Amino acid sequence: MAGTLASNHLGLTSWSLSLQREEKQLEASVDALLSQVADLKSSLGSFICKLENEYDRLTWPSVLDSFALLSGQLNTLNKVLKHEKTPLLRNQVIIPLVLSPDRDEELTRQTEGRVPVFSHEVVPDHLRTKPDPEVEEQEKQLTADAARIGTDAAQKQIQTLNKMCSNLLEKISKEERESESGGLRQNKQTFNPTDTNALVAAVAFGKGLSNWRPPGSSGPGQPGQPGAGALLRSSGIQQVQMTGTPSQQQSTLLSGVQMAQTGQPGKMPSGIKTNIKSASMHPYQRK
Amino acid sequence: MEAPPVTMMPVTGGTINMMEYLLQGSVLDHSLESLIHRLRGLCDNMEPETFLDHEMVFLLKGQQASPFVLRARRSMDKTGAPWHLRYLGQPEMGDKNRHTLVRNCVDIATSENLTDFLMEMGFRMDHEFVAKGHLFRKGIMKIVVYKIFRILIPGNTDSTEALSLSYLVELSVVAPAGQDMVSDDMRNFAEQLKPLVHLEKIDPKRLM
């Protein structure tokens, strides 16, 4: 026992009055804990290093990876602590044997320079097993408050909180769904293939556009052909004739209507009438 | 009356054998803003350009089965701009190695009495429409995003009606024949507009 004390550079010792077997078990579990904690420490260190040095090119997935690693290591640590072979650590007592204001090189090395001196100043912080007195006070207060509330009232508050939470969750998920479907709709409906075809057909051969050429019109050069050109020409002539004799204009109008009727009995006559009305606005009339 | 002596053959050979490489797609009205925004980011840094054009398509029928088609276009918002006469050949779909539609293409600037001239030659107007939209450039690529309006009264561009709830999007390059490399650039550019707009080579014959 004295040897243990002497070799312990931390100036503290852990002892057990149990059998040697138990002591061995304790040592093994402490070793396991130490290695787990060392792993955790190195991952934390590398994560902090990454955050400090690569924050400008850090990607979210890589941060998530680091978190996943830490979370896994914490889980393993918990498992080791809860393992049935691990003795209850709270039954172990650690007491400081020597406090010294002098610098302890071995301690500095073991704590990687964080704790150079094992003095009265740092020991309460490092060996504390209870919360700060203020924190303890607050906790007491809370426990007292909780005890004062009746079970019915507590139940009610729990229900209210649950209701609020579920409402909030529902709202969030609904919003999420809507924005997702909205995004999809946006993506899907920026164009319409049917419209594409209709527009291409329209510019390619005038499909769906006002077709001024009556069906079945024969080749060019035949006089009296009821084509658009004839209509245009007649309207041009009209414009000239309007200043001239009204009777001639009338006859042209009539012949124009007749031509159209023979050509296409449906739509054309009305078109011609309006055409005559708007003849003065004709963009390419003869001047 | 004899048919005017007009060549029925597309202009090939010589210095004006230019091809238009084309990809087409559309965008719904409510997504136009996003597309314009993306195009402004992708394209050459220039002032946003808009246009308002009136296009008339003229046919000349001869002995051949298919008529000869010419397109006359004039700007409605920029006074003094020349008229634009365009011949487009039969579109070639090509195989998988070519990512765009290719067609023969002749562009000519003309004076404003173009329609009269065409009429005198025996052309007849087949259809017309108003195109209103935005123009972007990236290198030799041209991107137009425009709405097509049906003209309700022949020749009167004041009375129009939108053809659909979408804007037509066209990515085109006019280059000398055989420069199929441009189609790779165009495909890469089209990729960057996904999923907002899918620019594809669309065979108009399929839509007849």
Side-chain angles (χ1 to χ4, degrees):
Chain A
M1 189 57 65
T4 321
L5 286 178
S7 70
N8 195 327
H9 288 277
L10 293 171
L12 51 90
T13 182
S14 62
W15 62 25
S16 164
L17 297 174
S18 336
L19 298 170
Q20 207 174 355
R21 192 174 55 84
E22 275 187 25
E23 203 153 332
K24 264 192 177 166
Q25 217 169 48
L26 178 65
E27 254 174 47
S29 55
V30 169
D31 281 348
L33 282 178
L34 273 176
S35 87
Q36 291 300 327
V37 171
D39 283 353
L40 192 58
K41 189 172 145 260
S42 83
S43 330
L44 268 173
S46 65
F47 183 42
I48 290 170
C49 176
K50 207 151 84 171
L51 279 181
E52 281 176 350
N53 298 319
E54 300 174 20
Y55 59 89
D56 49 344
R57 52 182 188 281
L58 203 56
T59 61
W60 182 236
S62 115
V63 174
L64 284 183
D65 281 350
S66 300
F67 271 128
L69 184 61
L70 290 177
S71 152
Q73 285 173 337
L74 279 172
N75 261 334
T76 326
L77 188 62
N78 260 333
K79 255 185 213 159
V80 173
L81 282 172
K82 283 179 184 160
H83 198 270
E84 53 185 18
K85 278 193 178 158
T86 307
L88 283 173
L89 290 175
R90 77 164 68 115
N91 291 345
Q92 309 296 322
V93 182
I94 300 173
I95 50 165
L97 289 182
V98 182
L99 293 182
S100 149
D102 298 331
R103 191 179 167 87
D104 188 332
E105 286 304 325
E106 182 63 17
L107 181 65
T108 313
R109 191 185 61 76
Q110 282 194 359
T111 59
E112 293 176 354
R114 288 188 183 86
V115 186
V117 182
F118 197 69
S119 69
H120 61 281
E121 212 177 342
V122 295
V123 165
D125 285 336
H126 286 286
L127 297 186
R128 173 183 292 150
T129 53
K130 286 172 99 181
D132 276 349
E134 309 94 79
V135 177
E136 216 170 22
E137 193 58 42
Q138 278 181 359
E139 207 178 310
K140 245 185 220 164
Q141 188 76 35
L142 283 173
T143 326
D145 280 357
R148 261 211 308 280
I149 303 173
T151 40
D152 280 0
Q155 205 62 39
K156 234 181 196 172
Q157 285 191 2
I158 291 171
Q159 276 175 3
T160 321
L161 187 63
N162 277 343
K163 208 172 161 188
M164 267 169 62
C165 285
S166 57
N167 270 348
L168 205 59
L169 269 176
E170 204 171 291
K171 265 188 185 167
I172 291 171
S173 60
K174 193 177 159 198
E175 192 66 31
E176 212 170 44
R177 264 203 315 274
E178 273 181 4
S179 71
E180 218 166 73
S181 63
L184 280 178
R185 198 180 55 225
Q186 193 76 23
N187 281 346
K188 270 184 185 161
Q189 289 206 334
T190 52
F191 68 97
N192 178 352
T194 324
D195 277 2
T196 307
N197 288 342
L199 290 166
V200 169
V203 283
F205 40 82
K207 190 174 178 180
L209 294 171
S210 345
N211 193 342
W212 309 136
R213 176 178 44 105
S217 66
S218 50
Q222 292 183 4
Q225 180 209 352
L231 283 178
L232 287 172
R233 217 180 262 169
S234 71
S235 70
I237 293 163
Q238 262 164 24
Q239 178 65 16
V240 178
Q241 284 172 341
M242 258 183 232
T243 54
T245 52
S247 62
Q248 265 184 333
Q249 181 192 350
Q250 187 72 17
S251 70
T252 325
L253 191 150
L254 280 174
S255 72
V257 171
Q258 278 164 355
M259 284 195 312
Q261 274 169 346
T262 52
Q264 190 185 18
K267 217 168 127 192
M268 288 307 277
S270 67
I272 290 157
K273 272 178 200 159
T274 29
N275 184 24
I276 290 160
K277 271 183 209 157
S278 63
S280 55
M281 305 201 266
H282 210 289
Y284 39 86
Q285 65 203 12
R286 290 183 180 175
K287 298 245 160 77
Chain B
M1 200 192 272
E2 288 293 313
V6 173
T7 170
M8 289 297 183
M9 293 298 293
V11 182
T12 52
T15 51
I16 48 169
N17 188 16
M18 299 293 271
M19 304 298 267
E20 186 189 50
Y21 296 77
L22 181 70
L23 285 175
Q24 289 169 312
S26 77
V27 66
L28 284 165
D29 288 356
H30 61 75
S31 298
L32 175 73
E33 277 300 310
S34 322
L35 177 66
I36 296 291
H37 206 260
R38 193 175 290 188
L39 283 171
R40 283 183 69 172
L42 288 172
C43 294
D44 291 344
N45 194 11
M46 60 175 207
E47 283 299 304
E49 232 175 273
T50 58
F51 64 88
L52 174 61
D53 285 356
H54 177 202
E55 178 161 321
M56 287 153 278
V57 179
F58 291 88
L59 296 186
L60 180 62
K61 291 202 172 178
Q63 282 72 41
Q64 279 89 348
S66 55
F68 187 77
V69 183
L70 282 181
R71 294 161 182 272
R73 213 180 234 251
R74 68 180 182 99
S75 174
M76 289 163 64
D77 57 346
K78 293 176 190 66
T79 47
W83 283 55
H84 177 188
L85 179 65
R86 173 162 243 218
Y87 164 79
L88 290 173
Q90 281 302 313
E92 301 164 27
M93 284 298 279
D95 53 10
K96 266 189 190 162
N97 297 326
R98 195 160 62 195
H99 310 294
T100 67
L101 196 84
V102 179
R103 57 191 181 186
N104 217 295
C105 155
V106 181
D107 289 298
I108 303 152
T110 74
S111 57
E112 61 188 16
N113 54 2
L114 171 65
T115 47
D116 292 338
F117 176 66
L118 290 174
M119 294 294 190
E120 295 297 340
M121 284 177 81
F123 278 91
R124 295 290 176 264
M125 186 158 80
D126 183 68
H127 60 272
E128 59 181 338
F129 61 88
V130 168
K132 182 176 192 289
H134 304 261
L135 168 74
F136 296 88
R137 274 190 295 266
K138 181 173 173 61
I140 56 165
M141 282 189 277
K142 183 171 96 174
I143 303 97
V144 280
V145 183
Y146 62 98
K147 189 141 208 138
I148 296 172
F149 293 88
R150 196 185 276 140
I151 293 179
L152 299 174
I153 302 162
N156 180 3
T157 50
D158 292 329
S159 160
T160 58
E161 163 189 277
L163 185 69
S164 81
L165 297 173
S166 292
Y167 279 75
L168 181 65
V169 184
E170 288 184 330
L171 169 61
S172 64
V173 169
V174 176
Q179 299 235 329
D180 279 3
M181 277 102 72
V182 295
S183 76
D184 295 336
D185 292 342
M186 289 171 69
R187 189 199 38 181
N188 291 339
F189 188 85
E191 282 297 317
Q192 297 184 53
L193 293 179
K194 285 180 184 176
L196 207 52
V197 176
H198 282 250
L199 290 176
E200 297 162 313
K201 55 172 181 179
I202 300 173
D203 188 0
K205 285 198 278 290
R206 190 168 55 83
L207 304 170
M208 287 276 258

Short mmCIF file of all heavy atoms in Angstrom, two decimals, chain A residues 191-241:
data_model
loop_
_atom_site.label_atom_id
_atom_site.label_comp_id
_atom_site.label_asym_id
_atom_site.label_seq_id
_atom_site.Cartn_x
_atom_site.Cartn_y
_atom_site.Cartn_z
N PHE A 191 -42.25 24.10 -68.17
CA PHE A 191 -42.55 24.05 -69.60
C PHE A 191 -43.56 22.95 -69.85
O PHE A 191 -43.78 22.08 -69.00
CB PHE A 191 -41.28 23.80 -70.43
CG PHE A 191 -40.70 22.43 -70.24
CD1 PHE A 191 -41.01 21.42 -71.15
CD2 PHE A 191 -39.90 22.13 -69.16
CE1 PHE A 191 -40.50 20.15 -70.98
CE2 PHE A 191 -39.38 20.86 -68.99
CZ PHE A 191 -39.69 19.86 -69.90
N ASN A 192 -44.19 23.05 -71.01
CA ASN A 192 -45.23 22.10 -71.35
C ASN A 192 -44.95 21.58 -72.76
O ASN A 192 -44.98 22.35 -73.72
CB ASN A 192 -46.58 22.82 -71.28
CG ASN A 192 -47.72 21.93 -71.67
OD1 ASN A 192 -47.52 20.81 -72.15
ND2 ASN A 192 -48.92 22.42 -71.48
N PRO A 193 -44.64 20.30 -72.90
CA PRO A 193 -44.26 19.76 -74.21
C PRO A 193 -45.34 19.97 -75.28
O PRO A 193 -45.02 20.20 -76.45
CB PRO A 193 -44.05 18.27 -73.94
CG PRO A 193 -43.80 18.17 -72.48
CD PRO A 193 -44.55 19.29 -71.84
N THR A 194 -46.59 19.94 -74.87
CA THR A 194 -47.67 20.18 -75.83
C THR A 194 -47.57 21.58 -76.41
O THR A 194 -47.74 21.80 -77.61
CB THR A 194 -49.03 20.00 -75.14
OG1 THR A 194 -48.93 18.95 -74.20
CG2 THR A 194 -50.10 19.71 -76.15
N ASP A 195 -47.30 22.54 -75.51
CA ASP A 195 -47.14 23.92 -75.95
C ASP A 195 -45.94 24.04 -76.89
O ASP A 195 -46.00 24.74 -77.90
CB ASP A 195 -46.92 24.84 -74.75
CG ASP A 195 -48.24 25.23 -74.11
OD1 ASP A 195 -49.28 24.75 -74.59
OD2 ASP A 195 -48.22 26.00 -73.13
N THR A 196 -44.88 23.33 -76.55
CA THR A 196 -43.69 23.37 -77.41
C THR A 196 -44.07 22.93 -78.82
O THR A 196 -43.75 23.62 -79.80
CB THR A 196 -42.60 22.42 -76.86
OG1 THR A 196 -42.37 22.72 -75.50
CG2 THR A 196 -41.32 22.56 -77.65
N ASN A 197 -44.76 21.81 -78.90
CA ASN A 197 -45.13 21.30 -80.21
C ASN A 197 -46.04 22.28 -80.95
O ASN A 197 -45.88 22.52 -82.15
CB ASN A 197 -45.84 19.94 -80.07
CG ASN A 197 -44.85 18.85 -79.69
OD1 ASN A 197 -43.65 19.03 -79.84
ND2 ASN A 197 -45.36 17.76 -79.16
N ALA A 198 -46.99 22.85 -80.21
CA ALA A 198 -47.93 23.78 -80.85
C ALA A 198 -47.18 24.99 -81.40
O ALA A 198 -47.42 25.43 -82.53
CB ALA A 198 -48.98 24.22 -79.84
N LEU A 199 -46.23 25.49 -80.60
CA LEU A 199 -45.50 26.69 -81.02
C LEU A 199 -44.57 26.38 -82.20
O LEU A 199 -44.47 27.17 -83.15
CB LEU A 199 -44.69 27.24 -79.84
CG LEU A 199 -45.54 27.85 -78.72
CD1 LEU A 199 -44.71 28.07 -77.47
CD2 LEU A 199 -46.12 29.18 -79.18
N VAL A 200 -43.93 25.23 -82.14
CA VAL A 200 -43.04 24.86 -83.24
C VAL A 200 -43.84 24.68 -84.52
O VAL A 200 -43.44 25.15 -85.60
CB VAL A 200 -42.25 23.57 -82.88
CG1 VAL A 200 -41.54 23.02 -84.11
CG2 VAL A 200 -41.24 23.85 -81.78
N ALA A 201 -44.98 24.04 -84.39
CA ALA A 201 -45.83 23.85 -85.58
C ALA A 201 -46.31 25.18 -86.12
O ALA A 201 -46.44 25.39 -87.32
CB ALA A 201 -47.02 22.96 -85.21
N ALA A 202 -46.55 26.12 -85.21
CA ALA A 202 -47.03 27.44 -85.65
C ALA A 202 -45.96 28.17 -86.44
O ALA A 202 -46.24 28.73 -87.51
CB ALA A 202 -47.46 28.26 -84.44
N VAL A 203 -44.71 28.18 -85.95
CA VAL A 203 -43.68 28.91 -86.70
C VAL A 203 -43.26 28.14 -87.95
O VAL A 203 -42.86 28.74 -88.93
CB VAL A 203 -42.42 29.23 -85.87
CG1 VAL A 203 -42.66 30.39 -84.95
CG2 VAL A 203 -41.91 28.04 -85.12
N ALA A 204 -43.36 26.82 -87.90
CA ALA A 204 -42.89 26.04 -89.04
C ALA A 204 -43.85 26.13 -90.22
O ALA A 204 -43.43 26.36 -91.35
CB ALA A 204 -42.69 24.58 -88.63
N PHE A 205 -45.13 25.93 -89.97
CA PHE A 205 -46.06 26.02 -91.10
C PHE A 205 -47.40 26.64 -90.74
O PHE A 205 -48.41 26.35 -91.36
CB PHE A 205 -46.24 24.65 -91.76
CG PHE A 205 -46.33 23.50 -90.77
CD1 PHE A 205 -47.52 23.21 -90.14
CD2 PHE A 205 -45.20 22.75 -90.48
CE1 PHE A 205 -47.59 22.17 -89.23
CE2 PHE A 205 -45.27 21.71 -89.56
CZ PHE A 205 -46.45 21.42 -88.95
N GLY A 206 -47.39 27.49 -89.73
CA GLY A 206 -48.58 28.29 -89.46
C GLY A 206 -49.73 27.52 -88.87
O GLY A 206 -50.88 27.97 -88.94
N LYS A 207 -49.45 26.39 -88.28
CA LYS A 207 -50.54 25.61 -87.69
C LYS A 207 -51.11 26.36 -86.49
O LYS A 207 -50.38 26.79 -85.61
CB LYS A 207 -49.99 24.26 -87.24
CG LYS A 207 -51.06 23.27 -86.85
CD LYS A 207 -50.40 21.93 -86.56
CE LYS A 207 -51.41 20.90 -86.11
NZ LYS A 207 -50.78 19.61 -85.83
N GLY A 208 -52.42 26.49 -86.49
CA GLY A 208 -53.06 27.18 -85.37
C GLY A 208 -53.10 28.68 -85.55
O GLY A 208 -53.76 29.38 -84.80
N LEU A 209 -52.39 29.18 -86.55
CA LEU A 209 -52.43 30.61 -86.81
C LEU A 209 -53.54 30.88 -87.81
O LEU A 209 -54.03 29.98 -88.49
CB LEU A 209 -51.10 31.09 -87.39
CG LEU A 209 -49.91 31.01 -86.45
CD1 LEU A 209 -48.63 31.30 -87.21
CD2 LEU A 209 -50.09 32.00 -85.32
N SER A 210 -53.91 32.13 -87.91
CA SER A 210 -54.95 32.49 -88.87
C SER A 210 -54.41 32.20 -90.25
O SER A 210 -53.40 32.75 -90.65
CB SER A 210 -55.26 33.96 -88.71
OG SER A 210 -54.72 34.44 -87.50
N ASN A 211 -55.04 31.30 -90.91
CA ASN A 211 -54.60 30.92 -92.24
C ASN A 211 -55.47 31.62 -93.27
O ASN A 211 -56.64 31.33 -93.40
CB ASN A 211 -54.72 29.40 -92.38
CG ASN A 211 -53.99 28.91 -93.60
OD1 ASN A 211 -53.68 29.70 -94.50
ND2 ASN A 211 -53.72 27.63 -93.64
N TRP A 212 -54.88 32.59 -93.95
CA TRP A 212 -55.70 33.41 -94.87
C TRP A 212 -55.90 32.72 -96.21
O TRP A 212 -56.59 33.21 -97.06
CB TRP A 212 -55.03 34.76 -95.11
CG TRP A 212 -54.65 35.49 -93.86
CD1 TRP A 212 -53.48 36.13 -93.64
CD2 TRP A 212 -55.43 35.67 -92.68
NE1 TRP A 212 -53.47 36.68 -92.40
CE2 TRP A 212 -54.65 36.43 -91.78
CE3 TRP A 212 -56.69 35.28 -92.27
CZ2 TRP A 212 -55.10 36.79 -90.51
CZ3 TRP A 212 -57.14 35.63 -91.01
CH2 TRP A 212 -56.35 36.38 -90.14
N ARG A 213 -55.20 31.62 -96.38
CA ARG A 213 -55.28 30.97 -97.69
C ARG A 213 -56.39 29.93 -97.65
O ARG A 213 -56.35 29.00 -96.87
CB ARG A 213 -53.95 30.29 -97.99
CG ARG A 213 -53.90 29.50 -99.26
CD ARG A 213 -52.51 28.93 -99.42
NE ARG A 213 -52.03 28.37 -98.15
CZ ARG A 213 -51.96 27.05 -97.91
NH1 ARG A 213 -52.31 26.19 -98.82
NH2 ARG A 213 -51.52 26.62 -96.76
N PRO A 214 -57.41 30.11 -98.47
CA PRO A 214 -58.50 29.14 -98.46
C PRO A 214 -57.99 27.79 -98.93
O PRO A 214 -57.09 27.72 -99.75
CB PRO A 214 -59.52 29.70 -99.45
CG PRO A 214 -59.06 31.07 -99.75
CD PRO A 214 -57.61 31.14 -99.48
N PRO A 215 -58.55 26.71 -98.43
CA PRO A 215 -58.10 25.40 -98.86
C PRO A 215 -58.41 25.17 -100.32
O PRO A 215 -59.42 25.66 -100.84
CB PRO A 215 -58.90 24.45 -97.96
CG PRO A 215 -60.07 25.24 -97.48
CD PRO A 215 -59.63 26.67 -97.44
N GLY A 216 -57.57 24.46 -100.97
CA GLY A 216 -57.82 24.08 -102.35
C GLY A 216 -57.48 25.15 -103.36
O GLY A 216 -57.81 25.03 -104.52
N SER A 217 -56.83 26.21 -102.92
CA SER A 217 -56.45 27.23 -103.89
C SER A 217 -55.34 26.67 -104.77
O SER A 217 -54.43 26.01 -104.30
CB SER A 217 -55.97 28.48 -103.15
OG SER A 217 -54.78 28.19 -102.46
N SER A 218 -55.44 26.98 -106.02
CA SER A 218 -54.49 26.39 -106.95
C SER A 218 -53.26 27.27 -107.09
O SER A 218 -53.07 28.22 -106.34
CB SER A 218 -55.17 26.18 -108.30
OG SER A 218 -55.80 27.39 -108.65
N GLY A 219 -52.45 26.93 -108.05
CA GLY A 219 -51.18 27.61 -108.22
C GLY A 219 -51.33 29.09 -108.52
O GLY A 219 -52.42 29.59 -108.78
N PRO A 220 -50.22 29.77 -108.46
CA PRO A 220 -50.24 31.21 -108.66
C PRO A 220 -50.46 31.56 -110.13
O PRO A 220 -50.35 30.71 -111.01
CB PRO A 220 -48.86 31.64 -108.19
CG PRO A 220 -48.01 30.44 -108.44
CD PRO A 220 -48.89 29.24 -108.26
N GLY A 221 -50.76 32.81 -110.34
CA GLY A 221 -50.87 33.27 -111.70
C GLY A 221 -52.28 33.13 -112.26
O GLY A 221 -52.58 33.64 -113.32
N GLN A 222 -53.16 32.45 -111.58
CA GLN A 222 -54.53 32.34 -112.09
C GLN A 222 -55.32 33.55 -111.62
O GLN A 222 -55.42 33.82 -110.44
CB GLN A 222 -55.18 31.07 -111.55
CG GLN A 222 -54.53 29.83 -112.13
CD GLN A 222 -55.23 28.58 -111.66
OE1 GLN A 222 -56.22 28.65 -110.96
NE2 GLN A 222 -54.69 27.46 -112.07
N PRO A 223 -55.90 34.26 -112.54
CA PRO A 223 -56.65 35.44 -112.14
C PRO A 223 -57.89 35.05 -111.33
O PRO A 223 -58.49 34.00 -111.54
CB PRO A 223 -57.05 36.08 -113.47
CG PRO A 223 -56.92 34.98 -114.47
CD PRO A 223 -55.91 34.01 -113.97
N GLY A 224 -58.21 35.90 -110.39
CA GLY A 224 -59.43 35.68 -109.61
C GLY A 224 -59.24 34.63 -108.54
O GLY A 224 -60.19 34.22 -107.91
N GLN A 225 -58.02 34.24 -108.32
CA GLN A 225 -57.81 33.25 -107.27
C GLN A 225 -58.09 33.87 -105.91
O GLN A 225 -57.58 34.93 -105.57
CB GLN A 225 -56.34 32.80 -107.32
CG GLN A 225 -56.03 31.78 -106.28
CD GLN A 225 -54.59 31.85 -105.85
OE1 GLN A 225 -53.80 32.55 -106.44
NE2 GLN A 225 -54.26 31.11 -104.81
N PRO A 226 -58.93 33.22 -105.15
CA PRO A 226 -59.34 33.82 -103.87
C PRO A 226 -58.30 33.62 -102.79
O PRO A 226 -58.56 33.00 -101.78
CB PRO A 226 -60.63 33.08 -103.55
CG PRO A 226 -60.47 31.75 -104.20
CD PRO A 226 -59.58 31.94 -105.38
N GLY A 227 -57.15 34.12 -102.99
CA GLY A 227 -56.10 33.95 -102.00
C GLY A 227 -55.94 35.20 -101.15
O GLY A 227 -56.59 36.22 -101.38
N ALA A 228 -55.06 35.07 -100.21
CA ALA A 228 -54.81 36.20 -99.31
C ALA A 228 -54.24 37.37 -100.09
O ALA A 228 -54.57 38.51 -99.82
CB ALA A 228 -53.83 35.79 -98.23
N GLY A 229 -53.40 37.04 -101.05
CA GLY A 229 -52.80 38.09 -101.84
C GLY A 229 -53.87 38.92 -102.55
O GLY A 229 -53.82 40.14 -102.55
N ALA A 230 -54.84 38.22 -103.08
CA ALA A 230 -55.92 38.91 -103.77
C ALA A 230 -56.65 39.83 -102.81
O ALA A 230 -56.97 40.98 -103.13
CB ALA A 230 -56.88 37.90 -104.38
N LEU A 231 -56.90 39.31 -101.63
CA LEU A 231 -57.61 40.11 -100.64
C LEU A 231 -56.80 41.36 -100.31
O LEU A 231 -57.32 42.46 -100.27
CB LEU A 231 -57.82 39.30 -99.36
CG LEU A 231 -58.93 38.27 -99.42
CD1 LEU A 231 -58.98 37.52 -98.11
CD2 LEU A 231 -60.24 38.96 -99.72
N LEU A 232 -55.52 41.11 -100.08
CA LEU A 232 -54.67 42.22 -99.70
C LEU A 232 -54.64 43.25 -100.81
O LEU A 232 -54.74 44.44 -100.59
CB LEU A 232 -53.25 41.72 -99.43
CG LEU A 232 -53.11 40.93 -98.13
CD1 LEU A 232 -51.73 40.32 -98.04
CD2 LEU A 232 -53.38 41.84 -96.95
N ARG A 233 -54.54 42.72 -102.01
CA ARG A 233 -54.44 43.62 -103.15
C ARG A 233 -55.72 44.43 -103.29
O ARG A 233 -55.71 45.62 -103.48
CB ARG A 233 -54.18 42.81 -104.41
CG ARG A 233 -53.24 43.52 -105.35
CD ARG A 233 -53.03 42.69 -106.56
NE ARG A 233 -51.81 41.92 -106.48
CZ ARG A 233 -51.52 40.94 -107.34
NH1 ARG A 233 -52.39 40.64 -108.30
NH2 ARG A 233 -50.41 40.31 -107.24
N SER A 234 -56.83 43.72 -103.13
CA SER A 234 -58.10 44.42 -103.30
C SER A 234 -58.25 45.48 -102.21
O SER A 234 -58.75 46.56 -102.46
CB SER A 234 -59.26 43.43 -103.25
OG SER A 234 -59.43 42.96 -101.93
N SER A 235 -57.81 45.14 -101.01
CA SER A 235 -57.95 46.15 -99.96
C SER A 235 -57.06 47.34 -100.27
O SER A 235 -57.41 48.47 -100.00
CB SER A 235 -57.59 45.55 -98.60
OG SER A 235 -56.21 45.30 -98.54
N GLY A 236 -55.92 47.05 -100.85
CA GLY A 236 -55.04 48.15 -101.23
C GLY A 236 -55.70 49.03 -102.28
O GLY A 236 -55.69 50.25 -102.19
N ILE A 237 -56.31 48.38 -103.21
CA ILE A 237 -56.99 49.14 -104.27
C ILE A 237 -58.12 49.96 -103.66
O ILE A 237 -58.32 51.11 -103.99
CB ILE A 237 -57.53 48.17 -105.34
CG1 ILE A 237 -56.35 47.53 -106.07
CG2 ILE A 237 -58.41 48.90 -106.34
CD1 ILE A 237 -56.71 46.29 -106.85
N GLN A 238 -58.83 49.32 -102.75
CA GLN A 238 -59.92 50.02 -102.10
C GLN A 238 -59.47 51.34 -101.50
O GLN A 238 -60.12 52.35 -101.63
CB GLN A 238 -60.45 49.18 -100.95
CG GLN A 238 -61.65 48.38 -101.30
CD GLN A 238 -61.82 47.32 -100.26
OE1 GLN A 238 -61.36 47.48 -99.14
NE2 GLN A 238 -62.47 46.26 -100.62
N GLN A 239 -58.36 51.23 -100.83
CA GLN A 239 -57.86 52.41 -100.14
C GLN A 239 -57.70 53.56 -101.13
O GLN A 239 -58.05 54.68 -100.84
CB GLN A 239 -56.51 52.07 -99.50
CG GLN A 239 -55.84 53.22 -98.78
CD GLN A 239 -56.67 53.65 -97.60
OE1 GLN A 239 -57.56 52.93 -97.15
NE2 GLN A 239 -56.41 54.85 -97.10
N VAL A 240 -57.20 53.19 -102.29
CA VAL A 240 -57.05 54.21 -103.33
C VAL A 240 -58.43 54.68 -103.78
O VAL A 240 -58.68 55.86 -103.93
CB VAL A 240 -56.27 53.64 -104.53
CG1 VAL A 240 -56.16 54.66 -105.63
CG2 VAL A 240 -54.90 53.19 -104.07
N GLN A 241 -59.32 53.71 -103.94
CA GLN A 241 -60.62 54.06 -104.51
C GLN A 241 -61.51 54.79 -103.53
O GLN A 241 -62.45 55.46 -103.95
CB GLN A 241 -61.31 52.78 -104.95
CG GLN A 241 -60.71 52.26 -106.24
CD GLN A 241 -61.26 50.92 -106.59
OE1 GLN A 241 -61.81 50.25 -105.72
NE2 GLN A 241 -61.12 50.52 -107.83
#
